[in-house]
Amino acid sequence: MAMANNRTQCFKSKIEKIKHSCKRCSKGFCFADLTEHKQILNHELNHIINDYDGFKQTINEHKRKSQNHSLIKQINQWERISIEKIKQKAQNWREIVLKYSSTVINNIEIKLNDLNEQIKQLHRENEFNESNLNRLRNQLIEIIEELNNPSNISIEQDSQSLINEISYILSKESNFNKWNQNAITVAGGNGKGKELDQLHWPVGIFIDKKKNIFIPDYYNHRIVEWKYNAKEAHIIAGENRNGNRMDQLNYPTDMIVNQQKHSIIIADFGNNRVIQWVNQTQQILIDNIHCWGLAMDKHGLLYVSDYKKNEVRRWKMGKYNNEGIVVAGGNRKGNELNQLDYPTFIFVDEDQSIYVSDRDNHRVVKWRKGAKEGTLMVGGNGKGEDLNQLSSPQGIIVNYLDEIYVADFGNDRVMRWCEEKEEGEIIVGGNGKGNQTNQLNGPTGLSFDDGGNLYVADCENDRIQKFELVL
């Protein structure tokens, strides 16, 4: 601080006194005011220092808490969810590959058993030549080659996304997706009638492990079983003509067969009831229901389509005295995704998702467990015969590759729709309405045996057709 000899006006008091200049701000003060001015400046500096220290502490706290930033939390959550999805998808594909491998082994075993029968026959007859031996040797070589080189399935990665997606590719040359186009009649086919070698409008179909065939024989008001290679059936339910007594049926449409318990659950369409037959003893499970299709999931829950209420309901086994739970439709007739229009056959997968043949909407919709509306899977482009259309679809089967097989009733064909494809493909039929071996007439029920052979309830031809898998 410098002191001048001249007198001048004090900056603060405005009185002429000896001037003392402040070097910090170049202003003149009297001695008394200069001291106070210095104190004010020091106070302001201390205040700035305190503000600085406070903000510095805030910055340090932010640095310590940066791991808990809200955006970091969102990123961490995204990471956890993504990892779980990857794990789930990997597990799904592992299950698909294991199931596919099991199918390959089963088909090889079928061929091997057939080869064994041929060898036994040659031993028994003791008449064989070099040509017979060469044929057997070549068959065995082909079977061994099929096991050692299962080239029909591979993995493809999508490297365009941040996290590489994978999907399976089933070779278009695979033998597991082709069937002989000329069928073999394995039940009925002897004209419309009620004799034991006849059927009259067979609707559904079930094939057991021994290739025995169970059929709801609609206009004959009965359930019949055709043993493997039998020439005629035997009646297992409803042999007392149509009626509403406990031992009678009235236009049955579908059934669930439990051979271990010797029971059959039947959609008794004409009597508006679901009835169970156990060793010729009957029990009404659900009454006053306009039932058509039945399904049961791996937990033993029973699903029933109601064509009049346009819905599918689910019941717990043994608890049929309530109204069940609506799991698809139930929002009046319509073509919105939360509606159905005359649902018929249904299929329930491992995840309890329900596939519904939505007949008068000419589509198949999938309702995931707990969903409020369905997802369009097949058709939905109006009634027609194009590859993206259906006409009054009936029986449906969904395999472990999520391929949907549909009995396209009005187009006299069976279609296969692969996931995310806009069009299906005709796998059998589609050669016009008729009764030739390569024709169908109003197909309804579908079933596969353990060897991958396809069975079709050729309803209006009153027969069951077997389309053999091309091996």
Side-chain angles (χ1 to χ4, degrees):
M1 194 73 64
M3 183 174 66
N5 293 325
N6 59 317
R7 300 172 66 87
T8 184
Q9 191 180 61
C10 175
F11 179 79
K12 181 177 180 182
S13 64
K14 309 300 182 186
I15 300 173
E16 286 193 2
K17 292 183 178 181
I18 297 174
K19 176 182 177 183
H20 299 269
S21 297
C22 175
K23 292 184 178 180
R24 297 176 183 174
C25 52
S26 302
K27 294 175 182 176
F29 294 90
C30 65
F31 182 80
D33 288 337
L34 178 62
T35 302
E36 182 181 355
H37 177 64
K38 288 170 62 180
Q39 290 174 346
I40 291 172
L41 292 179
N42 287 332
H43 177 74
E44 289 181 356
L45 176 62
N46 289 333
H47 183 71
I48 291 171
I49 291 171
N50 289 336
D51 287 347
Y52 169 84
D53 290 342
F55 185 69
K56 179 68 173 176
Q57 184 176 356
T58 300
I59 289 294
N60 291 334
E61 288 177 0
H62 272 279
K63 288 170 68 176
R64 286 195 301 270
K65 294 180 180 179
S66 61
Q67 290 298 318
N68 295 321
H69 193 284
S70 61
L71 293 179
I72 295 295
K73 290 180 179 179
Q74 291 180 40
I75 293 170
N76 292 340
Q77 184 181 18
W78 168 82
E79 180 184 31
R80 286 192 300 272
I81 293 172
S82 297
I83 290 171
E84 286 304 314
K85 286 182 177 179
I86 291 170
K87 286 182 177 178
Q88 186 60 53
K89 177 159 281 192
Q91 182 60 25
N92 290 343
W93 290 128
R94 276 192 287 267
E95 290 175 1
I96 286 174
V97 170
L98 290 174
K99 288 179 181 179
Y100 179 83
S101 298
S102 177
T103 301
V104 171
I105 296 298
N106 287 339
N107 280 280
I108 288 174
E109 285 182 336
I110 290 169
K111 295 179 183 179
L112 203 57
N113 290 336
D114 181 62
L115 180 60
N116 186 40
E117 289 299 321
Q118 294 180 55
I119 293 171
K120 286 180 179 179
Q121 185 176 354
L122 288 182
H123 268 295
R124 285 194 302 268
E125 296 174 353
N126 199 24
E127 291 184 5
F128 51 88
N129 54 34
E130 188 174 349
S131 177
N132 299 137
L133 297 178
N134 286 335
R135 176 173 55 82
L136 293 176
R137 186 179 295 106
N138 289 335
Q139 287 185 40
L140 182 59
I141 290 171
E142 288 179 4
I143 294 171
I144 294 170
E145 182 68 20
E146 187 173 338
L147 178 64
N148 292 333
N149 297 288
S151 58
N152 293 320
I153 191 166
S154 61
I155 292 293
E156 180 180 78
Q157 294 193 32
D158 178 7
S159 60
Q160 298 302 311
S161 57
L162 176 61
I163 300 173
N164 288 353
E165 291 284 349
I166 65 170
S167 60
Y168 74 93
I169 298 179
L170 189 61
S171 170
K172 293 182 179 179
E173 301 302 320
S174 171
N175 287 330
F176 296 95
N177 60 358
K178 295 178 182 178
W179 289 264
N180 194 319
Q181 295 301 295
N182 292 291
I184 302 168
T185 300
V186 291
N190 296 303
K192 209 180 299 290
K194 60 182 180 180
E195 300 300 324
L196 291 179
D197 65 344
Q198 295 179 307
L199 297 168
H200 191 180
W201 229 66
V203 185
I205 185 173
F206 171 79
I207 312 294
D208 70 10
K209 292 185 180 299
K210 295 181 179 179
K211 299 184 182 179
N212 301 319
I213 308 168
F214 296 79
I215 308 162
D217 196 4
Y218 185 83
Y219 281 114
N220 283 325
H221 315 288
R222 64 191 185 185
I223 306 294
V224 295
E225 178 186 6
W226 289 64
K227 296 288 187 182
Y228 180 58
N229 281 339
K231 299 301 181 184
E232 61 180 33
H234 72 275
I235 302 169
I236 58 176
E239 58 186 333
N240 303 299
R241 293 180 304 206
N242 66 309
N244 60 7
R245 293 199 318 258
M246 291 289 286
D247 63 345
Q248 293 178 310
L249 296 174
N250 196 15
Y251 304 109
T253 53
D254 202 4
M255 74 205 156
I256 297 170
V257 179
N258 187 326
Q259 291 174 297
Q260 291 181 339
K261 296 182 178 179
H262 305 287
S263 75
I264 304 174
I265 299 174
I266 303 167
D268 196 5
F269 172 87
N271 284 323
N272 297 325
R273 67 189 184 187
V274 177
I275 189 168
Q276 184 177 39
W277 288 55
V278 182
N279 290 328
Q280 298 302 311
T281 300
Q282 301 83 32
Q283 175 191 2
I284 295 175
L285 301 182
I286 307 168
D287 209 354
N288 299 315
I289 183 170
H290 303 283
C291 53
W292 184 281
L294 302 176
M296 187 171 286
D297 66 21
K298 63 182 180 182
H299 303 292
L301 301 175
L302 178 64
Y303 299 73
V304 186
S305 64
D306 188 319
Y307 68 91
K308 206 162 190 177
K309 290 184 178 179
N310 298 293
E311 65 185 19
V312 177
R313 285 181 182 262
R314 182 181 70 210
W315 279 264
K316 288 185 178 180
M317 288 294 288
K319 296 184 179 181
Y320 300 111
N321 57 351
N322 55 42
E323 294 183 352
I325 300 172
V326 176
V327 291
N331 297 299
R332 302 186 300 276
K333 180 192 295 188
N335 60 6
E336 299 297 326
L337 285 177
N338 68 341
Q339 296 177 308
L340 298 169
D341 190 353
Y342 209 111
T344 56
F345 287 93
I346 52 180
F347 180 91
V348 181
D349 69 12
E350 290 288 310
D351 301 320
Q352 294 181 292
S353 294
I354 306 146
Y355 295 77
V356 185
S357 264
D358 194 8
R359 192 191 76 174
D360 289 353
N361 279 325
H362 312 289
R363 67 187 184 184
V364 174
V365 287
K366 175 182 179 180
W367 290 65
R368 297 185 185 278
K369 184 180 179 180
K372 300 300 181 184
E373 63 178 32
T375 302
L376 178 64
M377 303 299 290
V378 174
N381 296 302
K383 181 179 181 180
E385 60 182 16
D386 290 339
L387 292 179
N388 66 345
Q389 294 178 304
L390 295 171
S391 178
S392 303
Q394 294 288 328
I396 47 176
I397 294 175
V398 183
N399 68 10
Y400 64 91
L401 296 174
D402 292 326
E403 295 171 337
I404 304 172
Y405 293 80
V406 186
D408 193 6
F409 180 88
N411 287 320
D412 307 301
R413 64 191 184 186
V414 177
M415 301 280 289
R416 175 174 58 195
W417 294 64
C418 298
E419 192 175 14
E420 298 179 355
K421 297 291 184 182
E422 294 183 359
E423 292 185 345
E425 58 180 320
I426 301 169
I427 60 169
V428 296
N431 298 305
K433 191 184 300 291
N435 60 7
Q436 301 301 308
T437 57
N438 69 340
Q439 292 180 306
L440 298 169
N441 188 359
T444 48
L446 298 177
S447 188
F448 288 98
D449 66 20
D450 285 347
N453 302 303
L454 172 64
Y455 296 74
V456 182
D458 193 10
C459 190
E460 295 185 354
N461 278 327
D462 305 297
R463 65 187 183 183
I464 305 298
Q465 297 293 86
K466 176 184 177 182
F467 293 88
E468 294 185 326
L469 185 69
V470 177
L471 297 175

